[in-house]
Amino acid sequence: MFTKQSWQLTINWARLSWTDAAWGLAVFDSNLPELGVRMRDHLIRAPYTLLLAIGFAVVFLVAGCASTLPLEDIPNVSSEESSETAVLSSTADVVAKNAVVPQEKGARILAMGDSMMAWHSLTQKSVSHALENALGEPVASNAVSGARVLYKLPVSGAMGMKIASQYRNGTWDWVVLNGGGNDLWLGCGCGKCTRKLNKLISEDGKRGAIPMLVQELRQKGAQVAWVGYLRSPGVWSPIESCRDNGEALEARIAKLAALDRGVHFVSLADLVPHGDRSFHSGDMIHPSLKGSREIGKRVAAVIATHDKVQ
């Protein structure tokens, strides 16, 4: 039986989703003269966010079955609130309490990123869990499936759909993260992505959203391990068309890493043998249990080698 708290969270999430969608459509409306790629992006973003929010709502309903949160911790949303400002204000506590946060006490390593990092989290066999096992120490993970580097919607972005927003203050020695794949696949269809790619990171690796994020993490005192994506040599994948753009993205990130001895690019380009499907889940996009385990081991080796470098 669902608890009262779970129903309230679901209602709040539904209202948050409409706020996010309205924000996206408002941006689209304000940019009507600039058609083309931007028009397509804005048309896609709102329904995508609604579907995402519905998924989150289901998660909260299931979680609510075992929830023992005190009722006073759940904000009360009045049906009389009608403006977007009122909705955001009344749900601020929901965002704060349910945003991704470090779960391991004493952890000095934080993992962030998209579904490659988050896959198998429910069974505690994700990349971060494999990293824990390999290093013999706790790892806090805030990775969220579907997350992007470039993400404009405010509410779902704050909940972790924007990778930079997954960061939480702490005394981190390392931040392990990935990203950019969803920006290329969902943002430009892995077609003509030069503009998107340049927004992510310039050809020399010095400008763009990724270098800015890495610089911010470095300024907080953490070393950064940026993890590349799995390949599927000799086997077809639904994201086969992303190969060239993905190679270009990672070549630029490698240049970024070469500029700072505290930034490390962990390439997975040679991890999967030719024709081997065992490193991927059935969708041939995300890592299998074996894939997550091997990625974790590779990242652990980098951390063990450079642990004292600042």
Side-chain angles (χ1 to χ4, degrees):
M1 182 175 181
F2 295 128
T3 65
K4 185 175 181 180
Q5 295 97 310
S6 66
W7 287 116
Q8 288 178 314
L9 283 171
T10 305
I11 292 170
N12 286 339
W13 262 104
R15 299 190 71 172
L16 286 173
S17 70
W18 282 110
T19 299
D20 239 3
W23 189 92
L25 290 173
V27 171
F28 165 66
D29 187 60
S30 65
N31 289 283
L32 280 174
E34 302 179 31
L35 300 177
V37 175
R38 295 186 66 182
M39 180 176 180
R40 180 190 62 192
D41 286 347
H42 290 305
L43 281 171
I44 292 173
R45 187 176 292 121
Y48 174 78
T49 305
L50 283 173
L51 289 174
L52 177 69
I54 291 171
F56 272 123
V58 171
V59 171
F60 278 125
L61 276 173
V62 174
C65 294
S67 175
T68 58
L69 288 175
L71 187 59
E72 58 268 20
D73 284 349
I74 310 299
N76 183 25
V77 180
S78 171
S79 60
E80 296 169 356
E81 294 171 87
S82 56
S83 67
E84 178 178 340
T85 301
V87 171
L88 289 174
S89 175
S90 67
T91 54
D93 287 342
V94 174
V95 175
K97 291 180 183 296
N98 295 288
V100 283
V101 294
Q103 310 223 339
E104 295 286 350
K105 291 183 179 180
R108 66 186 186 96
I109 302 171
L110 172 65
M112 299 162 46
D114 58 29
S115 56
M116 192 192 80
M117 299 293 289
W119 218 243
H120 306 300
S121 291
L122 293 178
T123 56
Q124 298 188 355
K125 296 184 182 297
S126 67
V127 171
S128 64
H129 292 98
L131 184 57
E132 282 186 335
N133 294 333
L135 293 175
E137 62 176 291
V139 176
S141 179
N142 290 346
V144 175
S145 293
R148 305 190 200 185
V149 175
L150 304 170
Y151 194 85
K152 293 183 178 180
L153 297 180
V155 179
S156 51
M159 295 299 294
M161 289 303 293
K162 182 175 182 179
I163 292 175
S165 297
Q166 296 174 10
Y167 181 83
R168 293 294 180 269
N169 290 327
T171 54
W172 308 112
D173 290 339
W174 285 87
V175 175
V176 178
L177 75 163
N178 80 320
N182 289 325
D183 296 89
L184 297 176
W185 188 29
L186 303 175
C188 55
C190 287
K192 296 181 179 179
C193 291
T194 301
R195 182 168 171 267
K196 183 75 69 175
L197 194 56
N198 288 335
K199 281 187 174 183
L200 289 168
I201 183 170
S202 61
E203 193 169 355
D204 61 5
K206 296 180 179 180
R207 298 177 303 279
I210 291 177
M212 183 180 299
L213 173 57
V214 169
Q215 182 181 21
E216 290 174 354
L217 296 173
R218 289 290 290 140
Q219 288 174 346
K220 294 177 185 296
Q223 291 197 69
V224 175
W226 193 287
V227 187
Y229 287 97
L230 285 173
R231 306 299 198 275
S232 54
V235 180
W236 180 85
S237 167
I239 54 175
E240 198 72 22
S241 61
C242 297
R243 179 179 299 176
D244 291 343
N245 286 310
E247 296 283 0
L249 172 66
E250 294 192 359
R252 297 182 183 195
I253 296 174
K255 290 180 180 179
L256 167 64
L259 300 173
D260 185 341
R261 64 198 299 252
V263 179
H264 315 275
F265 175 59
V266 185
S267 175
L268 304 180
D270 62 344
L271 185 63
V272 181
H274 186 85
D276 192 339
R277 296 175 178 266
S278 66
F279 286 77
H280 290 81
S281 294
D283 60 8
M284 286 304 297
I285 298 176
H286 300 99
S288 63
L289 293 175
K290 175 182 177 180
S292 292
R293 184 171 61 250
E294 294 304 316
I295 294 171
K297 288 181 180 179
R298 181 161 291 197
V299 175
V302 171
I303 291 178
T305 300
H306 301 281
D307 213 7
K308 301 304 179 182
V309 178
Q310 292 296 326

